[in-house]
Amino acid sequence: MTEPEYLKLMKGREVRIDFGPSGFDPGSLVRHARNDHKGRSAAGDFDEVWCVFDRDQHPHIENAIDEARAVGVEVAVSNPCVEVWLILHVEDRTAYIDRKEAQNRCTELGLTDGKSIRDTGATRLRDGYDEAKGRAQALRYSHLQHGDPSWANPSSGLWRLVDRLR
């Protein structure tokens, strides 16, 4: 899976990341984060809880985002998938892109090999983080200016989490 590999690549030395289950729909992931970690949060075992998920074709993503906010869980959504975030590290992308096209583009750019980050891609991702963040913020602003949700296609909010990890 690309997301944990990417986050480990980008984290600072003093940060510990615990990954929960993958493959959940966004609503289930938010409920798991809320329920499973409620006690550990009260005990001070960690500072923040984040849900990272792809937009994909999940029909109730707005509900999951609202539920997460209501219970203090941060959310980083990539639309259509995390690969669009990786693409933003090396090039602009403002036009709609589907999941398969984004995955293929990551391979063409030498960033990934299937769901794994290539060794050569790791350097490009680390070096391109500031550009990716700027591009993602520009996409967010553009979507909001057009009356679309901030997570419209293409977009990624992963920069918010990476900023916290660095």
Side-chain angles (χ1 to χ4, degrees), residues 30-148:
V30 168
R31 285 186 291 282
H32 174 79
R34 178 194 66 212
N35 295 336
D36 191 47
H37 298 298
K38 192 181 287 185
R40 290 196 313 158
S41 178
D45 288 348
F46 54 84
D47 297 323
E48 299 177 20
V49 176
W50 285 76
C51 288
V52 177
F53 48 83
D54 296 344
R55 169 64 175 107
D56 291 330
Q57 299 302 318
H58 298 295
H60 305 290
I61 196 164
E62 297 91 354
N63 295 344
I65 293 169
D66 290 344
E67 183 179 347
R69 286 186 183 137
V71 297
V73 172
E74 296 289 336
V75 174
V77 179
S78 293
N79 189 355
C81 54
V82 70
E83 285 81 3
V84 77
W85 169 243
L86 303 181
I87 292 167
L88 293 175
H89 285 68
V90 295
E91 67 183 22
D92 284 320
R93 180 65 198 208
T94 58
Y96 179 92
I97 187 170
D98 68 33
R99 170 185 278 291
K100 189 70 170 164
E101 183 182 357
Q103 291 168 341
N104 289 340
R105 186 65 182 142
C106 277
T107 300
E108 292 167 4
L109 292 169
L111 301 173
T112 60
D113 183 14
K115 290 298 259 175
S116 295
I117 295 173
R118 290 182 179 172
D119 290 340
T120 55
T123 300
R124 294 180 77 191
L125 292 169
R126 272 193 225 96
D127 292 348
Y129 173 73
D130 290 329
E131 289 81 7
K133 177 181 174 181
R135 290 174 178 137
Q137 289 174 327
L139 285 169
R140 180 181 189 282
Y141 179 77
S142 176
H143 293 318
L144 292 173
Q145 290 297 312
H146 290 97
D148 296 325

